[in-house]
Amino acid sequence: MPEISRFLGIVIAMFYNDHPPPHFHVRYGEQRGLVEIESMSLLQGRLSPKILGLVANWAAAHRDQLWQN
């Protein structure tokens, strides 16, 4: 899976031409999730509230790059 960012042990990845809606994948230890870019909501998987908050803050700061990817 193409990794686009890594911070605090959190790995963010995206697949080219992946299924809709536009989203990215999150891995943190045993936790996995798919986060929709538009709403920043968890589409699939399970992430702790702390990790989801960190990911949402990161995604808000990188929203333009996420849409370009």
Side-chain angles (χ1 to χ4, degrees):
M1 182 178 320
E3 185 177 311
I4 61 170
S5 185
R6 181 183 293 253
F7 61 97
L8 302 172
I10 300 168
V11 177
I12 308 292
M14 291 180 86
F15 287 112
Y16 173 76
N17 216 12
D18 205 356
H19 60 85
H23 65 279
F24 56 92
H25 298 251
V26 179
R27 294 188 319 254
Y28 179 74
E30 297 297 315
Q31 300 179 49
R32 304 284 187 268
L34 272 66
V35 177
E36 183 180 13
I37 296 171
E38 181 68 33
S39 67
M40 295 301 162
S41 62
L42 187 62
L43 295 172
Q44 186 177 9
R46 184 177 176 283
L47 298 171
S48 70
K50 178 181 178 181
I51 298 304
L52 187 55
L54 290 169
V55 167
N57 287 339
W58 174 88
H62 297 90
R63 187 175 294 243
D64 290 340
Q65 292 96 337
L66 287 168
W67 279 114
Q68 289 173 8
N69 283 340

PDB file of all heavy atoms in Angstrom, residues 20-48:
ATOM      1  N   PRO A  20     -14.820   4.406  -4.514  1.00  0.00           N
ATOM      2  CA  PRO A  20     -15.392   5.596  -3.883  1.00  0.00           C
ATOM      3  C   PRO A  20     -15.991   5.236  -2.517  1.00  0.00           C
ATOM      4  O   PRO A  20     -16.291   4.066  -2.287  1.00  0.00           O
ATOM      5  CB  PRO A  20     -16.488   6.045  -4.844  1.00  0.00           C
ATOM      6  CG  PRO A  20     -16.524   5.070  -5.964  1.00  0.00           C
ATOM      7  CD  PRO A  20     -15.513   4.003  -5.712  1.00  0.00           C
ATOM      8  N   PRO A  21     -16.217   6.206  -1.671  1.00  0.00           N
ATOM      9  CA  PRO A  21     -15.881   7.613  -1.793  1.00  0.00           C
ATOM     10  C   PRO A  21     -14.387   7.829  -1.576  1.00  0.00           C
ATOM     11  O   PRO A  21     -13.697   6.948  -1.039  1.00  0.00           O
ATOM     12  CB  PRO A  21     -16.702   8.269  -0.670  1.00  0.00           C
ATOM     13  CG  PRO A  21     -16.787   7.220   0.378  1.00  0.00           C
ATOM     14  CD  PRO A  21     -16.869   5.911  -0.384  1.00  0.00           C
ATOM     15  N   PRO A  22     -13.863   8.993  -1.969  1.00  0.00           N
ATOM     16  CA  PRO A  22     -12.433   9.271  -1.765  1.00  0.00           C
ATOM     17  C   PRO A  22     -12.072   9.134  -0.286  1.00  0.00           C
ATOM     18  O   PRO A  22     -12.737   9.703   0.581  1.00  0.00           O
ATOM     19  CB  PRO A  22     -12.275  10.715  -2.246  1.00  0.00           C
ATOM     20  CG  PRO A  22     -13.402  10.920  -3.204  1.00  0.00           C
ATOM     21  CD  PRO A  22     -14.539  10.099  -2.658  1.00  0.00           C
ATOM     22  N   HIS A  23     -11.039   8.352  -0.025  1.00  0.00           N
ATOM     23  CA  HIS A  23     -10.665   8.045   1.352  1.00  0.00           C
ATOM     24  C   HIS A  23      -9.188   7.719   1.444  1.00  0.00           C
ATOM     25  O   HIS A  23      -8.513   7.591   0.425  1.00  0.00           O
ATOM     26  CB  HIS A  23     -11.486   6.860   1.865  1.00  0.00           C
ATOM     27  CG  HIS A  23     -11.185   5.590   1.127  1.00  0.00           C
ATOM     28  ND1 HIS A  23     -11.753   5.295  -0.099  1.00  0.00           N
ATOM     29  CD2 HIS A  23     -10.345   4.564   1.410  1.00  0.00           C
ATOM     30  CE1 HIS A  23     -11.283   4.129  -0.521  1.00  0.00           C
ATOM     31  NE2 HIS A  23     -10.418   3.669   0.375  1.00  0.00           N
ATOM     32  N   PHE A  24      -8.708   7.574   2.674  1.00  0.00           N
ATOM     33  CA  PHE A  24      -7.347   7.100   2.902  1.00  0.00           C
ATOM     34  C   PHE A  24      -7.383   6.046   3.995  1.00  0.00           C
ATOM     35  O   PHE A  24      -8.347   5.922   4.750  1.00  0.00           O
ATOM     36  CB  PHE A  24      -6.390   8.252   3.239  1.00  0.00           C
ATOM     37  CG  PHE A  24      -6.800   9.091   4.419  1.00  0.00           C
ATOM     38  CD1 PHE A  24      -6.358   8.790   5.697  1.00  0.00           C
ATOM     39  CD2 PHE A  24      -7.605  10.206   4.245  1.00  0.00           C
ATOM     40  CE1 PHE A  24      -6.728   9.568   6.775  1.00  0.00           C
ATOM     41  CE2 PHE A  24      -7.966  10.996   5.316  1.00  0.00           C
ATOM     42  CZ  PHE A  24      -7.529  10.679   6.593  1.00  0.00           C
ATOM     43  N   HIS A  25      -6.329   5.252   4.036  1.00  0.00           N
ATOM     44  CA  HIS A  25      -6.208   4.150   4.987  1.00  0.00           C
ATOM     45  C   HIS A  25      -5.313   4.577   6.144  1.00  0.00           C
ATOM     46  O   HIS A  25      -4.321   5.271   5.936  1.00  0.00           O
ATOM     47  CB  HIS A  25      -5.585   2.921   4.304  1.00  0.00           C
ATOM     48  CG  HIS A  25      -6.417   2.405   3.174  1.00  0.00           C
ATOM     49  ND1 HIS A  25      -7.102   1.226   3.238  1.00  0.00           N
ATOM     50  CD2 HIS A  25      -6.664   2.923   1.935  1.00  0.00           C
ATOM     51  CE1 HIS A  25      -7.751   1.025   2.104  1.00  0.00           C
ATOM     52  NE2 HIS A  25      -7.488   2.038   1.300  1.00  0.00           N
ATOM     53  N   VAL A  26      -5.674   4.134   7.338  1.00  0.00           N
ATOM     54  CA  VAL A  26      -4.906   4.455   8.537  1.00  0.00           C
ATOM     55  C   VAL A  26      -4.520   3.157   9.229  1.00  0.00           C
ATOM     56  O   VAL A  26      -5.352   2.260   9.390  1.00  0.00           O
ATOM     57  CB  VAL A  26      -5.740   5.318   9.520  1.00  0.00           C
ATOM     58  CG1 VAL A  26      -4.946   5.624  10.776  1.00  0.00           C
ATOM     59  CG2 VAL A  26      -6.224   6.583   8.856  1.00  0.00           C
ATOM     60  N   ARG A  27      -3.252   3.077   9.638  1.00  0.00           N
ATOM     61  CA  ARG A  27      -2.770   1.946  10.441  1.00  0.00           C
ATOM     62  C   ARG A  27      -2.061   2.502  11.662  1.00  0.00           C
ATOM     63  O   ARG A  27      -1.250   3.428  11.569  1.00  0.00           O
ATOM     64  CB  ARG A  27      -1.793   1.088   9.645  1.00  0.00           C
ATOM     65  CG  ARG A  27      -2.393   0.380   8.477  1.00  0.00           C
ATOM     66  CD  ARG A  27      -1.425  -0.630   7.830  1.00  0.00           C
ATOM     67  NE  ARG A  27      -0.055  -0.169   7.728  1.00  0.00           N
ATOM     68  CZ  ARG A  27       0.543   0.217   6.614  1.00  0.00           C
ATOM     69  NH1 ARG A  27      -0.116   0.222   5.481  1.00  0.00           N
ATOM     70  NH2 ARG A  27       1.802   0.582   6.614  1.00  0.00           N
ATOM     71  N   TYR A  28      -2.371   1.938  12.807  1.00  0.00           N
ATOM     72  CA  TYR A  28      -1.676   2.288  14.041  1.00  0.00           C
ATOM     73  C   TYR A  28      -1.665   1.044  14.909  1.00  0.00           C
ATOM     74  O   TYR A  28      -2.704   0.641  15.443  1.00  0.00           O
ATOM     75  CB  TYR A  28      -2.374   3.442  14.767  1.00  0.00           C
ATOM     76  CG  TYR A  28      -1.702   3.806  16.062  1.00  0.00           C
ATOM     77  CD1 TYR A  28      -0.490   4.492  16.057  1.00  0.00           C
ATOM     78  CD2 TYR A  28      -2.257   3.465  17.277  1.00  0.00           C
ATOM     79  CE1 TYR A  28       0.140   4.822  17.237  1.00  0.00           C
ATOM     80  CE2 TYR A  28      -1.640   3.787  18.464  1.00  0.00           C
ATOM     81  CZ  TYR A  28      -0.437   4.464  18.446  1.00  0.00           C
ATOM     82  OH  TYR A  28       0.201   4.787  19.610  1.00  0.00           O
ATOM     83  N   GLY A  29      -0.516   0.398  15.014  1.00  0.00           N
ATOM     84  CA  GLY A  29      -0.450  -0.867  15.745  1.00  0.00           C
ATOM     85  C   GLY A  29      -1.415  -1.866  15.124  1.00  0.00           C
ATOM     86  O   GLY A  29      -1.378  -2.119  13.923  1.00  0.00           O
ATOM     87  N   GLU A  30      -2.323  -2.381  15.937  1.00  0.00           N
ATOM     88  CA  GLU A  30      -3.323  -3.334  15.452  1.00  0.00           C
ATOM     89  C   GLU A  30      -4.580  -2.634  14.917  1.00  0.00           C
ATOM     90  O   GLU A  30      -5.455  -3.295  14.373  1.00  0.00           O
ATOM     91  CB  GLU A  30      -3.719  -4.296  16.582  1.00  0.00           C
ATOM     92  CG  GLU A  30      -2.568  -5.159  17.079  1.00  0.00           C
ATOM     93  CD  GLU A  30      -2.035  -6.082  15.993  1.00  0.00           C
ATOM     94  OE1 GLU A  30      -2.855  -6.712  15.283  1.00  0.00           O
ATOM     95  OE2 GLU A  30      -0.798  -6.171  15.852  1.00  0.00           O
ATOM     96  N   GLN A  31      -4.666  -1.334  15.096  1.00  0.00           N
ATOM     97  CA  GLN A  31      -5.841  -0.587  14.652  1.00  0.00           C
ATOM     98  C   GLN A  31      -5.756  -0.301  13.157  1.00  0.00           C
ATOM     99  O   GLN A  31      -4.685   0.000  12.632  1.00  0.00           O
ATOM    100  CB  GLN A  31      -5.954   0.738  15.412  1.00  0.00           C
ATOM    101  CG  GLN A  31      -6.097   0.578  16.908  1.00  0.00           C
ATOM    102  CD  GLN A  31      -6.168   1.921  17.597  1.00  0.00           C
ATOM    103  OE1 GLN A  31      -6.925   2.809  17.200  1.00  0.00           O
ATOM    104  NE2 GLN A  31      -5.366   2.071  18.646  1.00  0.00           N
ATOM    105  N   ARG A  32      -6.904  -0.397  12.492  1.00  0.00           N
ATOM    106  CA  ARG A  32      -7.007  -0.126  11.061  1.00  0.00           C
ATOM    107  C   ARG A  32      -8.276   0.656  10.798  1.00  0.00           C
ATOM    108  O   ARG A  32      -9.286   0.438  11.468  1.00  0.00           O
ATOM    109  CB  ARG A  32      -7.083  -1.426  10.237  1.00  0.00           C
ATOM    110  CG  ARG A  32      -5.930  -2.395  10.444  1.00  0.00           C
ATOM    111  CD  ARG A  32      -4.693  -1.904   9.724  1.00  0.00           C
ATOM    112  NE  ARG A  32      -3.618  -2.865   9.743  1.00  0.00           N
ATOM    113  CZ  ARG A  32      -2.671  -2.923  10.655  1.00  0.00           C
ATOM    114  NH1 ARG A  32      -2.694  -2.117  11.678  1.00  0.00           N
ATOM    115  NH2 ARG A  32      -1.695  -3.800  10.579  1.00  0.00           N
ATOM    116  N   GLY A  33      -8.246   1.528   9.805  1.00  0.00           N
ATOM    117  CA  GLY A  33      -9.459   2.254   9.453  1.00  0.00           C
ATOM    118  C   GLY A  33      -9.364   2.903   8.091  1.00  0.00           C
ATOM    119  O   GLY A  33      -8.269   3.124   7.566  1.00  0.00           O
ATOM    120  N   LEU A  34     -10.530   3.200   7.515  1.00  0.00           N
ATOM    121  CA  LEU A  34     -10.648   3.964   6.288  1.00  0.00           C
ATOM    122  C   LEU A  34     -11.362   5.250   6.654  1.00  0.00           C
ATOM    123  O   LEU A  34     -12.427   5.215   7.281  1.00  0.00           O
ATOM    124  CB  LEU A  34     -11.485   3.222   5.241  1.00  0.00           C
ATOM    125  CG  LEU A  34     -10.767   2.256   4.316  1.00  0.00           C
ATOM    126  CD1 LEU A  34     -10.225   1.079   5.080  1.00  0.00           C
ATOM    127  CD2 LEU A  34     -11.694   1.808   3.230  1.00  0.00           C
ATOM    128  N   VAL A  35     -10.774   6.388   6.271  1.00  0.00           N
ATOM    129  CA  VAL A  35     -11.335   7.690   6.617  1.00  0.00           C
ATOM    130  C   VAL A  35     -11.694   8.426   5.335  1.00  0.00           C
ATOM    131  O   VAL A  35     -10.853   8.581   4.437  1.00  0.00           O
ATOM    132  CB  VAL A  35     -10.327   8.511   7.456  1.00  0.00           C
ATOM    133  CG1 VAL A  35     -10.874   9.903   7.749  1.00  0.00           C
ATOM    134  CG2 VAL A  35      -9.990   7.778   8.756  1.00  0.00           C
ATOM    135  N   GLU A  36     -12.942   8.880   5.256  1.00  0.00           N
ATOM    136  CA  GLU A  36     -13.406   9.641   4.095  1.00  0.00           C
ATOM    137  C   GLU A  36     -12.797  11.038   4.131  1.00  0.00           C
ATOM    138  O   GLU A  36     -12.784  11.695   5.171  1.00  0.00           O
ATOM    139  CB  GLU A  36     -14.922   9.736   4.100  1.00  0.00           C
ATOM    140  CG  GLU A  36     -15.477  10.446   2.897  1.00  0.00           C
ATOM    141  CD  GLU A  36     -16.979  10.543   2.911  1.00  0.00           C
ATOM    142  OE1 GLU A  36     -17.604  10.285   3.946  1.00  0.00           O
ATOM    143  OE2 GLU A  36     -17.510  10.898   1.855  1.00  0.00           O
ATOM    144  N   ILE A  37     -12.294  11.505   2.993  1.00  0.00           N
ATOM    145  CA  ILE A  37     -11.638  12.807   2.931  1.00  0.00           C
ATOM    146  C   ILE A  37     -12.644  13.938   3.154  1.00  0.00           C
ATOM    147  O   ILE A  37     -12.372  14.882   3.890  1.00  0.00           O
ATOM    148  CB  ILE A  37     -10.905  12.998   1.590  1.00  0.00           C
ATOM    149  CG1 ILE A  37      -9.767  11.980   1.472  1.00  0.00           C
ATOM    150  CG2 ILE A  37     -10.369  14.420   1.457  1.00  0.00           C
ATOM    151  CD1 ILE A  37      -9.118  11.924   0.109  1.00  0.00           C
ATOM    152  N   GLU A  38     -13.797  13.867   2.526  1.00  0.00           N
ATOM    153  CA  GLU A  38     -14.777  14.963   2.605  1.00  0.00           C
ATOM    154  C   GLU A  38     -15.246  15.223   4.030  1.00  0.00           C
ATOM    155  O   GLU A  38     -15.203  16.342   4.514  1.00  0.00           O
ATOM    156  CB  GLU A  38     -15.981  14.647   1.709  1.00  0.00           C
ATOM    157  CG  GLU A  38     -17.041  15.723   1.703  1.00  0.00           C
ATOM    158  CD  GLU A  38     -16.578  16.997   1.029  1.00  0.00           C
ATOM    159  OE1 GLU A  38     -15.790  16.922   0.082  1.00  0.00           O
ATOM    160  OE2 GLU A  38     -17.030  18.066   1.449  1.00  0.00           O
ATOM    161  N   SER A  39     -15.693  14.187   4.720  1.00  0.00           N
ATOM    162  CA  SER A  39     -16.307  14.356   6.045  1.00  0.00           C
ATOM    163  C   SER A  39     -15.364  14.060   7.203  1.00  0.00           C
ATOM    164  O   SER A  39     -15.701  14.342   8.351  1.00  0.00           O
ATOM    165  CB  SER A  39     -17.521  13.437   6.161  1.00  0.00           C
ATOM    166  OG  SER A  39     -17.101  12.080   6.157  1.00  0.00           O
ATOM    167  N   MET A  40     -14.210  13.470   6.908  1.00  0.00           N
ATOM    168  CA  MET A  40     -13.264  13.011   7.928  1.00  0.00           C
ATOM    169  C   MET A  40     -13.887  11.972   8.857  1.00  0.00           C
ATOM    170  O   MET A  40     -13.463  11.805   9.990  1.00  0.00           O
ATOM    171  CB  MET A  40     -12.713  14.167   8.764  1.00  0.00           C
ATOM    172  CG  MET A  40     -11.878  15.130   7.995  1.00  0.00           C
ATOM    173  SD  MET A  40     -10.460  14.317   7.251  1.00  0.00           S
ATOM    174  CE  MET A  40     -10.039  15.516   6.030  1.00  0.00           C
ATOM    175  N   SER A  41     -14.894  11.262   8.366  1.00  0.00           N
ATOM    176  CA  SER A  41     -15.545  10.234   9.178  1.00  0.00           C
ATOM    177  C   SER A  41     -14.922   8.864   8.897  1.00  0.00           C
ATOM    178  O   SER A  41     -14.408   8.607   7.807  1.00  0.00           O
ATOM    179  CB  SER A  41     -17.047  10.206   8.915  1.00  0.00           C
ATOM    180  OG  SER A  41     -17.308   9.879   7.569  1.00  0.00           O
ATOM    181  N   LEU A  42     -14.986   8.017   9.895  1.00  0.00           N
ATOM    182  CA  LEU A  42     -14.468   6.656   9.788  1.00  0.00           C
ATOM    183  C   LEU A  42     -15.470   5.825   9.000  1.00  0.00           C
ATOM    184  O   LEU A  42     -16.616   5.641   9.421  1.00  0.00           O
ATOM    185  CB  LEU A  42     -14.247   6.081  11.187  1.00  0.00           C
ATOM    186  CG  LEU A  42     -13.556   4.745  11.286  1.00  0.00           C
ATOM    187  CD1 LEU A  42     -12.136   4.817  10.728  1.00  0.00           C
ATOM    188  CD2 LEU A  42     -13.521   4.282  12.740  1.00  0.00           C
ATOM    189  N   LEU A  43     -15.058   5.343   7.833  1.00  0.00           N
ATOM    190  CA  LEU A  43     -15.930   4.547   6.973  1.00  0.00           C
ATOM    191  C   LEU A  43     -15.925   3.083   7.357  1.00  0.00           C
ATOM    192  O   LEU A  43     -16.939   2.396   7.223  1.00  0.00           O
ATOM    193  CB  LEU A  43     -15.470   4.649   5.512  1.00  0.00           C
ATOM    194  CG  LEU A  43     -15.563   6.003   4.839  1.00  0.00           C
ATOM    195  CD1 LEU A  43     -14.894   5.950   3.478  1.00  0.00           C
ATOM    196  CD2 LEU A  43     -17.021   6.413   4.711  1.00  0.00           C
ATOM    197  N   GLN A  44     -14.783   2.610   7.797  1.00  0.00           N
ATOM    198  CA  GLN A  44     -14.619   1.181   8.056  1.00  0.00           C
ATOM    199  C   GLN A  44     -13.485   1.002   9.053  1.00  0.00           C
ATOM    200  O   GLN A  44     -12.555   1.810   9.106  1.00  0.00           O
ATOM    201  CB  GLN A  44     -14.290   0.456   6.753  1.00  0.00           C
ATOM    202  CG  GLN A  44     -14.230  -1.024   6.841  1.00  0.00           C
ATOM    203  CD  GLN A  44     -13.955  -1.650   5.469  1.00  0.00           C
ATOM    204  OE1 GLN A  44     -13.645  -0.958   4.505  1.00  0.00           O
ATOM    205  NE2 GLN A  44     -14.063  -2.933   5.396  1.00  0.00           N
ATOM    206  N   GLY A  45     -13.558  -0.042   9.830  1.00  0.00           N
ATOM    207  CA  GLY A  45     -12.492  -0.356  10.763  1.00  0.00           C
ATOM    208  C   GLY A  45     -12.755   0.217  12.144  1.00  0.00           C
ATOM    209  O   GLY A  45     -13.871   0.622  12.472  1.00  0.00           O
ATOM    210  N   ARG A  46     -11.679   0.258  12.930  1.00  0.00           N
ATOM    211  CA  ARG A  46     -11.790   0.757  14.295  1.00  0.00           C
ATOM    212  C   ARG A  46     -10.513   1.500  14.653  1.00  0.00           C
ATOM    213  O   ARG A  46      -9.412   0.955  14.560  1.00  0.00           O
ATOM    214  CB  ARG A  46     -12.003  -0.399  15.266  1.00  0.00           C
ATOM    215  CG  ARG A  46     -12.224   0.068  16.683  1.00  0.00           C
ATOM    216  CD  ARG A  46     -12.515  -1.091  17.631  1.00  0.00           C
ATOM    217  NE  ARG A  46     -12.618  -0.611  18.992  1.00  0.00           N
ATOM    218  CZ  ARG A  46     -11.575  -0.289  19.762  1.00  0.00           C
ATOM    219  NH1 ARG A  46     -10.356  -0.402  19.301  1.00  0.00           N
ATOM    220  NH2 ARG A  46     -11.761   0.147  20.993  1.00  0.00           N
ATOM    221  N   LEU A  47     -10.673   2.757  15.055  1.00  0.00           N
ATOM    222  CA  LEU A  47      -9.571   3.570  15.545  1.00  0.00           C
ATOM    223  C   LEU A  47     -10.004   4.168  16.876  1.00  0.00           C
ATOM    224  O   LEU A  47     -11.152   4.594  17.020  1.00  0.00           O
ATOM    225  CB  LEU A  47      -9.237   4.705  14.570  1.00  0.00           C
ATOM    226  CG  LEU A  47      -8.779   4.298  13.173  1.00  0.00           C
ATOM    227  CD1 LEU A  47      -8.697   5.529  12.272  1.00  0.00           C
ATOM    228  CD2 LEU A  47      -7.435   3.595  13.234  1.00  0.00           C
ATOM    229  N   SER A  48      -9.102   4.203  17.831  1.00  0.00           N
ATOM    230  CA  SER A  48      -9.442   4.808  19.121  1.00  0.00           C
ATOM    231  C   SER A  48      -9.757   6.282  18.905  1.00  0.00           C
ATOM    232  O   SER A  48      -9.280   6.901  17.939  1.00  0.00           O
ATOM    233  CB  SER A  48      -8.288   4.646  20.102  1.00  0.00           C
ATOM    234  OG  SER A  48      -7.198   5.462  19.726  1.00  0.00           O
TER     235      SER A  48
END
